[in-house]
Amino acid sequence: MIAGFCALAVAELVAAVVRPEAGPVAAVGGAVIDRSPPALKEFAVRHFGTDDKLALQLGIVVLLAIFALAVGVLALHHRRTGSAAVLVFGAVGAAAAVGRPEGGPADALPAVVGAVVGAGVLHLLAGRLAPVPRPSPVSEAAGEPCETFDRRGFVIAATTAAAASAGAGYLGRRLTSSIQAGASASRRDLVLPVPDSAAPAVPAGAELRIPGLSPFITPNKDFYRVDTALVVPQLDADEWRLRIHGRGVTRPVTVGFHDLLRREIIERDITLACVSNEVGGPYIGNARWIGVRLADLLREAGVRPPSEGGPADQIVARSVEGMTIGTPVEAVMDGRDAMLALGMNGEPLPFTHGFPVRMVVPGLYGYVSACKWIKDIELTTFGAYDAYWVRQGWSQQAVIKTESRIDTPRPFASPKPGTVPVAGVAWAQRRGISRVEVRVDGGPWHEARLAAEDGRDTWRQWVWEWPATKGRHTLEVRATDGTGATQTGRQSGTLPNGATGWHSVEVEVP
């Protein structure tokens, strides 16, 4: 265990110099995420939520601990074989780091150096535990040597190794924090410009202010996060660059963060939703975004949408940690407020939500539109390239479905008899919500009262006053969008392009 701790601590110290994503836990974790079947990823998101990455990392550490124990037992009897096993495991970590989308030869260093140190420490400590013959009164009388081990030498070596490991781990953390200080300072010192095209004030009636109902604007700290980044990229806005190139690009473009600040700035309220959101799930949020129109940048690069004869129908956005997101060119250039977002709810983007720049495209699930930590945009076709999530079994294109959710009462709640407000949110980005209905125990549908509409790209709150009676009841909700299409009651899972069905909750009225 001490040798394993040494290996990890030294590896993380070296990763602080190379890049944090090259650390063995992050690299192996990333490889596990990439190679996990979609059903397993859905299980992790469903049961661990935004803590899925922490659960994965803890799982890796537990497995490493078990491996360390097994190798330790082996090393007591075969020192060289035990040390060699550590080196082999280090080679696995190095291969995982180099094989990451943004990996390079230098990314192998943390795992390799950590493994060499771990193997050396294991060899040393196992040697201190090796039996050595020493005379004793009893053994001398019997004419036999007494075997013991170097207890004092082992304690000194183990204590020294543990202390050195702790020091290496602390130094690695400090070094990483020092390297990331520039990114933190660039975000802290950033003053968002006043938008040239400001979002109108949220209508007074858009917020129903019912206890238990999700707020109309989701605070940044509560906004859902679903991505594959085990290490959140910490980018310095001053050093950030975006390259636009590919099919149909007649004038390749490279822009920096301050170039974007000098462009026309727009501000819009837009609801984002994750395709992994089950019926009634939490992976949806509404925010006020500030940024620049992506379509303007594309047109300056000479890009034309397919409807105008352009040769590319897909935008492949790449993030600094290797994620690829495929978005229809037509959707970005059809007049909707697709943007490169710089701010969220009045402040620069949080690091966990893509600082310094991310994509936001109304009406599309995040996996086909919302590239965070973006660094590259390539114009291509859907036939020529499958982005990350498509290779995992998801659809190439996915429009957000018409959905609704009951926020209050909560499942298995016990409201008192009488008038009970049943309230929640409904969404159908680009189409808007025209009606929400609620029913009890499979009975007739009752039309809910809709909050004022802020825009068709945002969710809409609703409430129905339920005359609750004693007993166990099932409440269901459905929505109708602005085109007149009513949400389907057919239950389907999130794969391949979003869940369907009516959200329901059971309550017990005492």
Side-chain angles (χ1 to χ4, degrees):
M1 289 293 289
I2 292 174
F5 179 43
C6 284
L8 280 181
V10 171
E12 294 302 324
L13 173 58
V14 177
V17 178
V18 177
R19 66 185 190 108
E21 294 84 356
V25 173
V28 172
V32 170
I33 291 174
D34 290 347
R35 289 163 177 78
S36 296
L40 182 58
K41 294 179 182 178
E42 285 298 289
F43 175 87
V45 171
R46 183 166 59 252
H47 288 84
F48 298 109
T50 54
D51 293 325
D52 58 339
K53 299 167 191 64
L54 176 61
L56 174 60
Q57 290 173 311
L58 290 176
I60 291 173
V61 171
V62 169
L63 290 177
L64 286 175
I66 294 173
F67 173 80
L69 291 173
V71 171
V73 172
L74 175 65
L76 287 176
H77 304 283
H78 307 282
R79 290 170 65 190
R80 291 183 178 178
T81 303
S83 297
V86 176
L87 295 176
V88 170
F89 208 71
V92 172
V98 173
R100 300 294 297 143
E102 297 297 306
D107 287 358
L109 286 176
V112 170
V113 175
V116 169
V117 171
V121 171
L122 179 63
H123 192 269
L124 172 66
L125 295 182
R128 292 292 185 269
L129 291 175
V132 293
R134 290 185 179 178
S136 71
V138 176
S139 63
E140 287 180 347
E144 298 177 353
C146 174
E147 290 191 344
T148 182
F149 68 91
D150 184 3
R151 186 184 305 273
R152 182 172 181 274
F154 174 78
V155 171
I156 292 174
T159 302
T160 302
S165 300
Y170 175 77
L171 181 59
R173 295 273 181 174
R174 294 285 296 179
L175 185 57
T176 299
S177 297
S178 175
I179 293 172
Q180 294 174 344
S184 298
S186 71
R187 182 182 184 276
R188 183 183 62 248
D189 297 339
L190 176 61
V191 177
L192 293 175
V194 176
D196 301 289
S197 175
V202 175
E207 187 84 64
L208 294 179
R209 304 187 185 282
I210 295 173
L213 177 60
S214 300
F216 180 73
I217 295 292
T218 308
N220 289 355
K221 64 181 180 62
D222 298 328
F223 209 94
Y224 77 93
R225 177 195 168 199
V226 177
D227 55 54
T228 63
L230 291 178
V231 178
V232 176
Q234 306 274 314
L235 306 179
D236 189 326
D238 294 333
E239 299 176 0
W240 176 86
R241 296 291 183 274
L242 172 68
R243 179 183 174 221
I244 300 176
H245 61 104
R247 296 186 63 171
V249 175
T250 58
R251 297 177 295 277
V253 171
T254 299
V255 295
F257 187 80
H258 295 284
D259 296 324
L260 297 183
L261 293 179
R262 288 189 287 269
R263 301 181 65 89
E264 181 186 13
I265 301 295
I266 64 172
E267 180 184 58
R268 298 291 185 267
D269 294 337
I270 299 171
T271 297
L272 300 186
C274 179
V275 73
S276 296
N277 201 37
E278 293 187 315
V279 173
Y283 303 125
I284 182 169
N286 186 49
R288 177 157 288 197
W289 306 91
I290 185 173
V292 301
R293 289 188 180 89
L294 180 53
D296 292 348
L297 275 170
L298 294 178
R299 289 195 181 277
E300 289 177 17
V303 176
R304 291 175 293 124
S307 60
E308 298 177 13
D313 60 8
Q314 178 180 207
I315 291 171
V316 175
R318 290 183 172 84
S319 73
V320 297
E321 32 79 73
M323 174 56 64
T324 55
I325 300 289
T327 308
V329 174
E330 199 69 53
V332 171
M333 304 185 73
D334 66 1
R336 72 184 72 187
D337 292 312
M339 69 171 79
L340 293 175
L342 316 173
M344 179 180 183
N345 291 333
E347 65 178 70
L349 293 172
F351 284 111
T352 52
H353 291 291
F355 181 84
V357 181
R358 67 170 294 167
M359 274 178 61
V360 171
V361 182
L364 302 181
Y365 285 115
Y367 86 100
V368 291
S369 66
C371 185
K372 297 188 284 190
W373 313 294
I374 188 171
K375 72 164 190 177
D376 185 272
I377 288 178
E378 179 182 3
L379 279 296
T380 182
T381 65
F382 284 105
Y385 185 83
D386 285 337
Y388 177 87
W389 290 111
V390 177
R391 297 195 297 271
Q392 306 298 314
W394 299 86
S395 299
Q396 280 190 328
Q397 303 185 48
V399 173
I400 295 176
K401 294 176 169 64
T402 300
E403 296 287 341
S404 54
R405 184 182 73 196
I406 298 172
D407 285 350
T408 184
R410 293 290 186 184
F412 311 114
S414 299
K416 296 179 180 179
T419 302
V420 175
V422 179
V425 289
W427 58 93
Q429 290 89 317
R430 303 302 299 152
R431 303 179 301 280
I433 294 294
S434 63
R435 185 168 68 250
V436 171
E437 299 165 290
V438 181
R439 71 176 180 180
V440 183
D441 299 329
W445 290 100
H446 304 274
E447 188 166 351
R449 176 170 62 89
L450 292 176
E453 184 180 58
D454 180 43
R456 63 178 182 170
D457 289 335
T458 64
W459 61 12
R460 199 167 180 182
Q461 295 182 347
W462 56 266
V463 61
W464 176 62
E465 303 295 341
W466 172 39
T469 57
K470 290 184 178 181
R472 180 173 296 175
H473 301 284
T474 299
L475 305 171
E476 291 179 291
V477 63
R478 70 180 184 183
T480 299
D481 65 28
T483 69
T486 299
Q487 175 184 349
T488 179
R490 182 176 61 85
Q491 296 285 336
S492 67
T494 55
L495 274 167
N497 54 20
T500 62
W502 298 329
H503 185 218
S504 65
V505 298
E506 276 196 11
V507 296
E508 180 85 34
V509 180

